Amino acid sequence: MNKTLQNKIKPYIWLLPSIILMALFVIFPIMIVFRLAFSEVSKSGLMGGFVGLQNFKDAIGLPAFKTVMLNTLYWVISVVGLSTVLGFIIAMVLNQKFHGRKIARAILVFPWATSLVVQASVWNYIIKYEYGNLNNILLNLGIIKEAINWRSSYQIEFLWECGVGIFVTIPFVAFCVLSGLQSIDGTLYEAADIDGASYWDKLWRITVPLVKPSLTVSTVLNIIYVFNSFPIIYTMTRGAPANKTDTLVTYLYMLNFYDRQKGPATALSVIGFLVLCICAGVYMVGVMRKEEEL
Amino acid sequence: MKKLIALLLALTMVFSLGAVAFADGEDITLDVIICQYGPNTEDWFLGSGMDGTNFVDKFEEANPGIKLNLEVVSWDTVDQVVDTRISSGQAPDILNNDNFSNYAYDELLEPVSQFCPDDLYEDFFPSFIAESVIDDTVWAVPDLASARALYYNVDMFEEMGIEPPTTWAELEDVCQTILDFYDGEVYPWGIDMTSDEGQAAFAYYTWGNGGGFTDDEGNWIVNCDENVEAIEFAISLVNNGYTNPNPATQTRYDLQDMFAAGDMAMLIAPNQLPTYCADKESTVNMATANIPANEGKESASVGVMDRVMAFKDESLSEEETAARDEAIGKFLKFFYDPENYVGWVSMEGFLPAVNSAVGALVEADPSFGAWLDVLDGCRFYPTAMENYDTVREGVVKAEQAALTGADVREELDAVQAQVAPEA
């Protein structure tokens, strides 16, 4: 075999293990899900014949479908949006020189490093009406005179879930942005200072454009993570009452394993997959175009 | 040298595969899935919770030639685990679960007559066996049961000088009395409408109003007038402030904790409540009474039963199937042997499913006798009916929707339309 051919083949041989693993653990399961979505599926999970789009029609016709899709939209926008803004601000703070900066950075990792189930369970205890830490602290400090029901309606419960989602997502954004901030050359700010640029000028004209690639990565990854996030909602409310706090992922899980409507549940997972592909695709194409323009 | 190493590795692999096949040829290995009933389940089956040994070791010692590949799986994930295995053609040989009908309708189960020894079959309570029949065939055997009753805090009731309620009207009066007497510091009544136990709430109130899941002919009657009235009554208890504040997310364990802490005066709970409270080191003084029913309607006790079933293995020859069935029979005989079974049932405070265990259990704890009487008159969920899952989820969602202000009749109509469109 001549050397040119060897050099051409070599990269593919090195990539082969990854390709095989991806095919086995990513592509193959996706293909099975697609096949199930177009098949009749029994309550025990046995696959029957081809049923065309029937599972998709059944899924879209489910009474909770609209609520669940809207909840998913609110969930993704609020968690990704707010955690990006707050994570950016925290990263800016952590990029300053101050005493205890290393400790502050270490503490920031905790919410991210802890399991989501543990996080959600802890928050459940914090906001519990009867023996919750929040009520106990406020009562002991004399701020409130009687315990408050922090989960008095499903709208408030959903807000708590979004809050926990934001809390655990902030560290990831902050560290992505922080890595971006640390790679900015300090002379750019010095030059801007000489030119008389204000704090906001420097922020919008130097910091944000140079941190943008890091933000892009964190936003795209967060959209995927948050959209697929299961533990927070499942642990805190299980979608109750009556799917009012469900997102697509928790809903299709309950539909599959509790309701045993496996066909529509599989169709919903395909819908979720396609939605994510479109979101991530549109975002990535947009970003790549802008990078090309630059 | 490299070729020699490769050859040696290949030969090692071939011989090791051969060794596994040889071992398989001699021993029968049963894949068993057991649900986790409590903190002691795993220890009893796999650890040292059976007088220093465990069920698997004891069984394998007593039954040479049969190996158990036993897993203890949590209730939360058991359906997920089993369904995934079925999809990949790896169903367990023996499964312990509450629901059997989906597997029976999909023709995945073996009839009980095929693997259960006759003397053991005769030992089961007939009323329990009757709950596992589809098309005149018994598809599962009961492993244990629990019965629900009204528990109340005796000290509180004595302090107020009142009696536990027997009717819905009395229940409302008692709740108001408790609310007034303790100035809102104690929840008078516990209610759980979560996806865990919402179907139990449906049973408590609808059976106490002459309604229920099905009529005498076995037709779904989810949206009958009695059921609508019953659920409206349950929701009114919540809206009047007589119950825990968040019934859609507070599970029965939350309620039991409140009761154990003396923060709740009454709740409907299974017969394991005293064991649960004792584990929590609670000193609450409790007693039981009948579940309150509507005026002129009979109080119904609610029974919950779990089962053991065997899956078919169509990859086996007729001879191998017979050997496997015999092994399953031996497993059951060993499990229900009073020497083992009494310890298992009493460990978590459950009620037995076989006559042979009753004597020893009553001797150990005389309160069992009263519970066995309750169990005798219990009604069970219609788990043998097709679409029970849909109804169960439907009524829980209907209750939860009603908690947010939705119309009960409309919600129950929607459930009924799903399972009996022609009605």
Side-chain angles (χ1 to χ4, degrees):
Chain A
M1 199 184 289
N2 67 45
K3 207 144 196 180
T4 326
L5 189 64
Q6 264 187 1
N7 284 341
K8 273 185 182 172
I9 292 172
K10 213 184 254 176
Y12 297 103
I13 293 171
W14 287 113
L15 282 172
L16 200 62
S18 305
I19 292 168
I20 292 170
L21 281 175
M22 278 182 68
L24 268 177
F25 296 107
V26 181
I27 297 166
F28 184 60
I30 289 173
M31 282 165 61
I32 290 179
V33 170
F34 269 82
R35 199 174 150 209
L36 281 170
F38 292 97
S39 306
E40 192 182 357
V41 190
S42 80
K43 288 190 172 187
S44 310
L46 293 178
M47 191 159 58
F50 178 75
V51 289
L53 291 171
Q54 191 56 46
N55 286 331
F56 290 86
K57 282 182 194 164
D58 292 345
I60 292 166
L62 288 165
F65 180 76
K66 197 178 155 195
T67 310
V68 168
M69 292 309 277
L70 280 174
N71 281 352
T72 311
L73 192 68
Y74 298 147
W75 165 253
V76 173
I77 289 175
S78 63
V79 174
V80 176
L82 284 173
S83 63
T84 302
V85 173
L86 295 172
F88 186 88
I89 294 168
I90 288 172
M92 295 285 287
V93 173
L94 290 178
N95 200 37
Q96 307 298 313
K97 281 182 182 162
F98 60 90
H99 281 296
R101 185 172 72 161
K102 281 184 181 169
I103 296 169
R105 284 182 183 177
I107 290 171
L108 187 68
V109 179
F110 290 161
W112 191 43
T114 318
S115 136
L116 287 180
V117 176
V118 173
Q119 289 272 356
S121 303
V122 167
W123 278 98
N124 255 348
Y125 280 111
I126 290 172
I127 61 172
K128 208 169 189 173
Y129 177 44
E130 290 81 16
Y131 323 107
N133 306 56
L134 186 58
N135 272 338
N136 276 343
I137 291 168
L138 295 177
L139 283 167
N140 288 335
L141 291 174
I143 295 169
I144 55 172
K145 287 191 174 162
E146 57 184 46
I148 294 171
N149 183 4
W150 298 104
R151 311 176 64 154
S152 57
S153 71
Y154 67 86
Q155 292 94 336
I156 293 172
E157 288 194 292
F158 193 60
L159 282 179
W160 276 112
E161 287 170 335
C162 291
V164 176
I166 292 164
F167 181 71
V168 298
T169 311
I170 283 174
F172 176 67
V173 180
F175 278 103
C176 280
V177 175
L178 196 57
S179 68
L181 287 174
Q182 284 174 345
S183 66
I184 298 175
D185 190 344
T187 54
L188 290 171
Y189 292 108
E190 284 168 20
D193 284 335
I194 291 164
D195 289 343
S198 69
Y199 173 81
W200 296 107
D201 286 336
K202 285 188 275 182
L203 178 69
W204 291 112
R205 287 165 193 267
I206 299 173
T207 310
V208 171
L210 291 175
V211 164
K212 215 170 175 184
S214 306
L215 272 177
T216 307
V217 171
S218 76
T219 307
V220 172
L221 289 178
N222 270 339
I223 288 173
I224 296 167
Y225 290 153
V226 173
F227 188 94
N228 284 327
S229 179
F230 177 82
I232 295 172
I233 288 173
Y234 189 74
T235 307
M236 292 185 79
T237 60
R238 285 199 180 190
N243 310 115
K244 294 272 196 304
T245 60
D246 257 328
T247 60
L248 190 69
V249 174
T250 54
Y251 179 59
L252 72 88
Y253 178 84
M254 298 292 278
L255 198 65
N256 193 353
F257 293 111
Y258 279 71
D259 223 354
R260 288 180 173 272
Q261 295 194 48
K262 290 178 185 291
T266 321
L268 280 180
S269 68
V270 168
I271 291 172
F273 175 75
L274 294 176
V275 168
L276 268 186
C277 284
I278 292 166
C279 287
V282 167
Y283 197 78
M284 292 302 284
V285 167
V287 168
M288 279 155 72
R289 265 190 197 158
K290 278 187 184 170
E291 277 175 3
E292 274 170 18
E293 282 166 17
L294 287 172
Chain B
M1 185 64 190
K2 277 180 186 172
K3 280 181 183 171
L4 185 69
I5 293 170
L7 185 68
L8 280 172
L9 282 171
L11 285 171
T12 313
M13 282 170 73
V14 169
F15 280 118
S16 59
L17 285 171
V20 173
F22 185 70
D24 276 353
E26 271 195 351
D27 289 343
I28 290 177
T29 301
L30 295 177
D31 289 329
V32 185
I33 291 182
I34 300 288
C35 286
Q36 182 147 27
Y37 285 92
N40 305 321
T41 309
E42 191 152 0
D43 199 29
W44 195 83
F45 275 104
L46 296 163
S48 56
M50 208 176 178
D51 299 327
T53 180
N54 62 57
F55 180 85
V56 171
D57 287 348
K58 219 175 150 185
F59 174 83
E60 288 180 348
E61 199 185 321
N63 295 278
I66 306 174
K67 298 276 176 212
L68 295 183
N69 177 24
L70 188 144
E71 279 175 77
V72 176
V73 179
S74 93
W75 279 105
D76 275 350
T77 54
V78 66
D79 288 339
Q80 188 183 342
V81 169
V82 176
D83 290 1
T84 308
R85 288 201 185 178
I86 290 170
S87 307
S88 57
Q90 293 175 320
D93 293 297
I94 299 171
L95 171 67
N96 158 223
N97 199 349
D98 53 350
N99 191 5
F100 73 101
S101 59
N102 293 321
Y103 306 128
Y105 284 113
D106 277 345
E107 299 178 359
L108 294 168
L109 297 182
E110 279 199 347
V112 166
S113 57
Q114 212 164 307
F115 58 82
C116 184
D118 290 344
D119 55 337
L120 176 61
Y121 185 82
E122 296 299 322
D123 198 18
F124 289 112
F125 298 148
S127 59
F128 283 16
I129 287 285
E131 296 295 325
S132 302
V133 175
I134 295 172
D135 294 336
D136 299 326
T137 303
V138 182
W139 295 101
V141 291
D143 72 319
L144 47 78
S146 71
R148 309 285 166 93
L150 168 67
Y151 280 90
Y152 62 97
N153 185 315
V154 175
D155 294 339
M156 283 185 190
F157 274 66
E158 283 179 357
E159 195 178 2
M160 290 180 287
I162 56 172
E163 291 295 317
T166 57
T167 66
W168 286 358
E170 285 177 18
L171 174 61
E172 286 178 309
D173 290 344
V174 167
C175 285
Q176 190 59 50
T177 306
I178 296 167
L179 215 52
D180 296 340
F181 191 89
Y182 290 102
D183 201 21
E185 295 288 313
V186 170
Y187 297 125
W189 184 249
I191 200 161
D192 172 359
M193 290 178 167
T194 64
S195 54
D196 285 339
E197 282 283 292
Q199 72 281 4
F202 185 82
Y204 301 149
Y205 297 96
T206 59
W207 283 345
N209 197 35
F213 294 93
T214 58
D215 62 15
D216 293 340
E217 280 80 44
N219 303 307
W220 293 114
I221 50 161
V222 180
N223 61 342
C224 69
D225 292 342
E226 290 84 356
N227 289 358
V228 173
E229 186 187 16
I231 300 306
E232 282 175 348
F233 170 74
I235 299 297
S236 76
L237 294 175
V238 180
N239 293 339
N240 289 335
Y242 296 150
T243 70
N244 46 302
N246 301 316
T249 50
Q250 288 175 310
T251 67
R252 74 174 152 117
Y253 298 105
D254 293 320
L255 308 189
Q256 289 177 180
D257 287 343
M258 290 178 210
F259 185 78
D263 293 334
M264 181 172 277
M266 297 179 283
L267 82 165
I268 301 169
N271 57 289
Q272 304 97 294
L273 184 63
T275 312
Y276 183 88
C277 290
D279 287 347
K280 296 267 170 184
E281 296 178 358
S282 163
T283 54
V284 67
N285 182 13
M286 67 182 91
T288 57
N290 285 337
I291 296 171
N294 201 359
E295 198 75 48
K297 301 284 166 56
E298 265 185 48
S299 168
S301 190
V302 178
V304 177
M305 183 205 315
D306 297 328
R307 299 170 168 90
V308 179
M309 61 206 84
F311 280 83
K312 285 180 189 168
D313 186 346
E314 287 175 343
S315 67
L316 301 178
S317 67
E318 210 168 296
E319 200 177 292
E320 287 169 331
T321 303
R324 192 190 77 127
D325 288 345
E326 195 187 336
I328 294 172
K330 283 182 179 171
F331 173 89
L332 294 179
K333 283 281 279 183
F334 193 78
F335 177 70
Y336 289 102
D337 186 328
E339 196 188 316
N340 304 320
Y341 184 69
V342 169
W344 158 246
V345 171
S346 52
M347 183 177 68
E348 302 283 3
F350 284 101
L351 300 172
V354 286
N355 282 303
S356 58
V358 171
L361 283 165
V362 174
E363 200 178 308
D365 180 2
S367 72
F368 257 99
W371 277 108
L372 289 170
D373 288 341
V374 173
L375 200 58
D376 206 29
C378 268
R379 293 177 71 176
F380 293 92
Y381 304 132
T383 46
M385 284 186 66
E386 200 168 11
N387 292 324
Y388 171 68
D389 297 296
T390 309
V391 171
R392 184 190 66 186
E393 284 305 297
V395 298
V396 175
K397 297 273 162 59
E399 289 166 352
Q400 293 185 352
L403 284 170
T404 65
D407 184 75
V408 174
R409 184 174 291 282
E410 279 178 20
E411 293 295 323
L412 293 182
D413 279 348
V415 182
Q416 178 76 13
Q418 271 183 284
V419 290
E422 75 283 358

